[in-house]
Amino acid sequence: MKNRNPIWDFFASVKLALFTLFFLSTTSIIGTIIPQKETTQQYIEKYGEATANLFQILSITPDMYSSAWFLSLLSLLCLNLIVCSLDRFPGVWRQIKADNLNTPLSRLEKMDPQRRWQLDNPPESTAIALKTALKTSGWKTEERKLDNALLLFAQKGGMTRTGVYIVHASILVIFAGAIIGSILGFKGSIMLPETKTTDKAYAFGTNSPIDLGFEIRCDRFNIEFYDNGMPKSYRSQLVILENGKVVKEKAIVVNDPLSYKGITFYQSSYEPYPEFLITITNKKTGLSETAIIPYQQQRNLEKNDLRFGIINAEAQGQSVSRIKIWLSDDKGEPSLFWLDDGEQVTVERAQNNFTVSAKQMYATGLQVAKDPGVWTVYTGCALMIIGLIVAFFMSHQRIWLYIREETDGKSSILMAGNANKNKAGFEKTFQALTQTMNKV
Amino acid sequence: MNSSQLIGITTFTYLFSTILYAALFIFKTKRLGPVATVFTLIAFLIQTAGIGLRWLESYQMGVGRAPLTNMYESVVFFAWTIILIYLIIEWKFKTRIIGAFAVPFAFLAMAYASFASGITKEIVPLVPALQSNWLIAHVVTCFIGYAAFTVAAGLGIMYLIKNTSETRQSTNDSTLLGSLPPLKVLDDITHKTMIFGFLWLSIGIITGAIWANSAWGTYWSWDPKETWSLITWFIYAITLHARYTRGWGGTRIAWLAIFGFISVIFTYYGVNFLLAGLHSYGSN
Ligand code: HEM
């Protein structure tokens, strides 16, 4: 026996686990009632100066769940798990690896379920027949010769004893992933107007700039609506650039982000601008120009020798639906026409044709996250589910057959077995097995 | 016939099932047993058809989405799962009295879905954040867990009722409560149902985290709903450990089953209505 150290025992105890889990659940409630991550000013307005102060001293605000005392509780849970597992696992491993052929007859005789019967053959041939019967039911047997007897043993699911430890380890893996993410990762956001490029995001909370290490551009942002006016999709056409060269392109929507070099961009919001994005292409020369132009201002496009402006627009809420454009190349009357937001039309002029597309300008709101711990967390989650299934629904089943040689050359058989869980289920298996054995 | 009518019919059929099971329990008319089962099964099939039809209708409307994405639909699915789990227990453990304690929850859920104000039954399209298969997986798995915990609470209540009466009078096989399954059996089924629920709640929390990560880049943000689901999960973890390693059983586990259920209801309902209310109240 290992000498018991009281400190070790304290951290290995399930009582501590129950206490920690209880404490975690009750304290977690606080942060769901007192809103988190608001400003000091907001707290003072809501709760008064004195209470707001107290909350701050107790670290209940602004962010209880990352306060030192809450993290300590989580650490205590981890420590408890580690010590408890180290304490118990060796014993479980010994049980898995045990030499079950060493089990004394006295123990077999006390097992439940058990069955006894006799056969006319001597132990050796009986054993062969029984082994075949076991094998057809999927049990692999070992055997050992004893005085005047033969002991057969078969087992299933020894490894399922590790299920609980997989669950416990999975919790540690998830915590490890969370720690990796919080040390090596960041969370931030970008408000990126269409056609513009940036190489920075702004961290949540502090708003300090974070270098992305590459550039990102939003070529286009658009919103689709259902017939009833509810938003159907927010879509940003994003381009990643390194040293001015395009290295990746993707249209992202909510739930389908873009990842590049471990940094992921999520569609999260948008901002409509009181400006318009116009692209005009000269059909003859193929020359294309894009301009950002405010409402009701005239603009010259030098290369195409054109003048144009937005003279009217219709909007639903803050989103423009139709745009009226005035366009002239000083050859004949100016053109005046409506087009839908985002639509492309051909404008016929006396000496040339142009394709014109126009849309309201938006900035897309992106959430930017780098979290190298995510896959560790997901691995932990997968382990947890596997572990729970093993721990709850699988058991270690063992069967012994003690075949004793009788004086008249016959053999008497004692069949005994046990399972560490689901005893009722095992009893059925055992009964079914004895049925097949009886036919031997 | 449209899905709302079918689901509406379900509310009343579950009420009738409740009455049948209650009658079976109170009058001990054995003949009523199969009637109650068959009736509940029919109600369950009607509800299944209703949910399926609602799915189809959403496609006909050009919205095309699983019927699992708002309060109304989730409550209906919750009731459906309670009945499914109950029917499995009835079939596996060959006891019908439990129906008197499980089916009422399904009826209450359906009544709430059908009659509570502020619950819209319309099939509305999904806003972008909700367009995710992880969300569907999340709702389905969470509600299987919640339904199992509801049945476990029903079993816990049975246990407590039977237990108080047994301590009061020694032999009472002729009385009302004599027809309840033995305490040991109740305790065992409660435990098994909670284990089942715990597995599904775990998967539910995980799929929810994956969904959040694909939508916002954060798998866990300690918002009240997430936090309450974790609190619920802790309560059941405590229950499992207390039973498995400290030998708790009987009344204590029955109380924990009820306590856990209260936490489930709070996670599901309270957070939406009470805490949200508190927050908006506070910020006025
Ligand atoms: C939230 C955290 C935890 C979860 C989800 C969890 C999960 C589980 C599960 C599912 C079981 C199997 C129960 C059964 O088969 O009925 C179990 C058993 C057990 N847990 Fe935990 N556990 C947690 C924390 C802890 C902690 C902190 C300890 C530290 C002492 C602990 C100690 C044990 C022990 C000793 C067993 C019994 C193992 C055996 O002998 O088979 N658990 N746990």
Side-chain angles (χ1 to χ4, degrees), chain A residues 276-421:
Chain A
F276 295 85
L277 205 60
I278 293 207
T279 306
I280 299 182
T281 310
N282 186 326
K283 282 234 170 170
K284 216 185 264 168
T285 61
L287 197 65
S288 185
E289 282 176 284
T290 296
I292 296 166
I293 130 171
Y295 190 46
Q296 291 183 334
Q297 274 186 27
Q298 187 181 313
R299 184 64 63 90
N300 293 332
L301 285 182
E302 307 275 325
K303 292 181 206 152
N304 275 314
D305 200 12
L306 275 176
R307 289 179 296 134
F308 69 93
I310 307 269
I311 57 168
N312 201 353
E314 286 175 3
Q316 288 172 333
Q318 286 192 307
S319 301
V320 168
S321 53
R322 286 175 80 209
I323 298 163
K324 192 173 189 184
I325 294 176
W326 174 93
L327 182 143
S328 172
D329 56 359
D330 294 321
K331 299 182 176 86
E333 287 287 297
S335 301
L336 264 180
F337 53 94
W338 282 98
L339 49 72
D340 285 344
D341 187 64
E343 193 191 6
Q344 186 174 46
V345 296
T346 302
V347 180
E348 293 174 9
R349 303 289 304 161
Q351 298 175 7
N352 200 351
N353 291 346
F354 298 92
T355 54
V356 177
S357 70
K359 72 184 285 292
Q360 182 183 15
M361 181 154 162
Y362 285 92
T364 182
L366 303 174
Q367 273 194 31
V368 186
K370 178 177 171 183
D371 190 343
V374 161
W375 285 103
T376 313
V377 171
Y378 286 179
T379 307
C381 291
L383 279 179
M384 176 180 289
I385 294 170
I386 294 168
L388 284 174
I389 291 171
V390 172
F392 288 155
F393 305 115
M394 295 182 182
S395 59
H396 184 195
Q397 310 178 334
R398 293 182 288 188
I399 289 172
W400 288 265
L401 283 153
Y402 185 86
I403 310 165
R404 197 176 58 221
E405 182 163 13
E406 297 295 330
T407 43
D408 50 6
K410 297 179 178 177
S411 36
S412 66
I413 303 158
L414 165 65
M415 176 165 159
N418 67 18
N420 64 336
K421 261 173 278 168

Side-chain angles (χ1 to χ4, degrees), chain A residues 51 134 174 196 201 209 211 302 325 350 414:
Chain A
T51 317
L134 277 168
I174 290 170
K196 302 283 194 259
D211 247 317
E302 307 275 325
I325 294 176
L414 165 65

Side-chain angles (χ1 to χ4, degrees), chain A residues 14-15 18 21-22 25 29 32 46 65 70 178 187 226 230-232 234 254-255 266 367 371 377-378 388 392, chain B residues 125-126 128-129 131-132 195 202 210-211 213-217 219 222 227-228 231 234 238 240 245-246 275 282:
Chain A
V14 181
K15 258 193 200 148
L18 294 176
L21 288 174
F22 178 76
S25 352
I29 298 174
T32 67
K46 250 179 234 174
Y65 300 105
F70 194 80
K187 300 265 148 79
Y226 292 107
M230 280 172 64
K232 182 177 182 179
Y234 305 116
V254 184
N255 279 312
Y266 300 84
Q367 273 194 31
D371 190 343
V377 171
Y378 286 179
L388 284 174
F392 288 155
Chain B
L126 294 182
Q131 298 164 9
S132 161
I195 279 182
S202 308
I210 298 176
W211 170 46
N213 192 47
S214 72
W216 301 287
Y219 50 82
W222 293 104
T227 309
W228 269 97
I231 292 168
F234 281 154
I238 290 171
L240 290 184
T245 62
R246 307 208 59 80
L275 288 187

Side-chain angles (χ1 to χ4, degrees), chain A residues 68-97:
Chain A
W69 65 263
F70 194 80
L71 293 181
S72 307
L73 270 178
L74 291 176
S75 314
L76 182 62
L77 183 73
C78 288
L79 182 65
N80 190 194
L81 268 171
I82 294 169
V83 177
C84 174
S85 303
L86 289 178
D87 194 53
R88 290 174 185 247
F89 191 74
V92 170
W93 194 248
R94 274 195 299 275
Q95 260 180 318
I96 295 170
K97 292 287 161 201

